[in-house]
Amino acid sequence: MDPVITDTSKLFFKVNPSLKLICFAFLFILYLSVQNLNTMIWTTVAFSIVTLWANGLPRKWSVGFFLMTFIVSFFSASAMILYGKGSHVLFQWFLIRTTEESLARGIQLGLRTFVFGLLGVLFASTTPPVPFFYSLMQQLKVPVRYAYGCLAAFRMLPMMAEELGHIRQAMKVRGMSRQKGLRAFYERFLHYALGILVQSIRRAQRTAVAMEAKRFSMKEKRTFYYQIGWSRKDLIFLSVMTVTVVSGFLLSRWIPLTPYTNVIDGY
Amino acid sequence: MAEQKIGKLNLTDILVTIVASLVFGLIFRLMGPVYDLLKPFGLQLEMLTYGIWFIAGPFVALLIRKPGVAFLAETAAAAVELLFAGSGGIINVYYGLIQGVFSEAVFAAFLYKRFTLLTAILSGVAASIGSFILDIPYGYLTGLVGWNLTLNIVFRFISAIILAGFLPYILVKALEKTGVTQLVRPVTKEDYDVLKK
């Protein structure tokens, strides 16, 4: 992911990764219980602003990501919009039966997926793996074995990519990549999958033995190379999140855009 | 490691599980756009690929054959998907957790003694039941018209059986031939019997 991130001076990079994770995980529960379409619309507006301002992607990428997330979110709402239950029919053609209720529910679903997608982009683009796992160990007390295991695994990614290249070249030389048909595709898939998996498992086992020998799985009091702590940035982060969430709820009360305050009514 | 209790995970188990999850997490990430592109028209076609998201649990359980690895694998794969900005974002972690629990429960129900095609299929199906539990509040699943909901359920179970039942079984069988599974599996009674001869 490193080449994607250019500007690491942004505020969200400095926020404690565990705090970010817990905060976003809480937002999931919160918005799962929101059935008011107006709240969701205003929340989407608020989070769009925050994401466009705070994400860690280069500018030309961030707008693209934003639009893509938006379109994809409404793909997931298509089934609900076209075939949802409801009594006030807006449009009917063959199997398609769009009703007011299903449209409202679909939009709610689409916006919710969009907000979670934005949070995902916001998290992934501002959280490099190394501080994330160090923070998990120090703040959330995740057992060291698991966190270092993850870190070691991430180190193996470039090697996996290289091996993938080797397998591709080997297949090219042997003419496998030119074969057509379902059987050839299956064989190719199996060769890629097995090659990568076998080498990864062997490497993981070797690495684990070495790590064990160096007491990486030690449970007693231990020190960390990177100390992830708390700072004023965390307070700013929390305030930004609180303002965003609260503004979504307040604006929906002050300026309700639709009459749908409970989308699960009507089925 | 003689003093190690049977069933407890050591660093090798954890690292192998996580590395396999990393591979699957990347596959999840790459399959994300395919899944999303099957979504328009609302015909639930994307459900035919859903099974691939349940593969990590059964695969690693069949591979390592120890308690807890199916749950760890499914959760780790979901976390990897989050770190690589998969299309679901933070939702993936919740789905990963619940699918992991259900996937693990099947192997636990067999007391971690049976790692066959049957348990792999059951584990995949259990994971899809787990995903339904989250889909009802999150995706308003019960708000769909009957035939569409049926299509969703049937497609998801079919893909769970094929992609999270048969596929991991085939992969692990092939891995057994390479001998790599001997590195990671716990020693069984049969292994001792071979020594006695």
Side-chain angles (χ1 to χ4, degrees), chain A residues 77-148:
Chain A
S78 61
M80 184 54 75
I81 292 174
L82 298 178
Y83 315 110
K85 285 181 196 166
S87 45
H88 300 84
V89 178
L90 286 175
F91 175 75
Q92 191 157 14
W93 179 74
F94 194 46
L95 278 171
I96 297 175
R97 187 167 173 275
T98 305
T99 60
E100 279 177 38
E101 291 90 340
S102 76
L103 186 64
R105 225 177 302 129
I107 293 172
Q108 173 88 356
L109 178 61
L111 290 178
R112 190 193 275 166
T113 312
F114 180 55
V115 168
F116 292 147
L118 286 183
L119 288 175
V121 171
L122 201 54
F123 186 85
S125 69
T126 60
T127 316
V130 175
F132 174 64
F133 288 113
Y134 269 87
S135 170
L136 284 187
M137 284 188 276
Q138 290 170 43
Q139 270 84 45
L140 297 184
K141 306 292 174 218
V142 168
V144 175
R145 300 181 295 160
Y146 296 96
Y148 274 124

Side-chain angles (χ1 to χ4, degrees), chain B residues 7 15 22-23 48 65 67 70 75 80 109 121 131 147 168 180 186 191:
Chain B
L15 200 57
L22 189 69
V23 175
L48 287 173
R65 303 188 166 178
T75 312
V80 168
I121 290 173
S131 71
W147 65 267
V180 76
D191 296 329

Side-chain angles (χ1 to χ4, degrees), chain B residues 88-178:
Chain B
I90 195 87
I91 313 167
N92 295 334
V93 179
Y94 283 93
Y95 275 97
L97 279 170
I98 195 158
Q99 284 160 199
V101 169
F102 275 74
S103 208
E104 183 74 43
V106 169
F107 293 103
F110 284 96
L111 299 171
Y112 301 102
K113 289 210 172 81
R114 292 197 45 180
F115 296 92
T116 56
L117 180 61
L118 178 74
T119 45
I121 290 173
L122 286 177
S123 175
V125 170
S128 38
I129 293 170
S131 71
F132 280 124
I133 292 179
L134 260 184
D135 267 352
I136 290 169
Y138 174 71
Y140 300 126
L141 207 58
T142 46
L144 285 171
V145 169
W147 65 267
N148 205 273
L149 180 62
T150 317
L151 219 55
N152 180 312
I153 295 171
V154 172
F155 280 178
R156 195 180 302 191
F157 277 135
I158 290 174
S159 79
I161 290 169
I162 295 169
L163 294 173
F166 282 93
L167 184 61
Y169 184 76
I170 292 168
L171 282 176
V172 172
K173 272 277 163 257
L175 283 179
E176 270 172 12
K177 279 187 207 150
T178 67

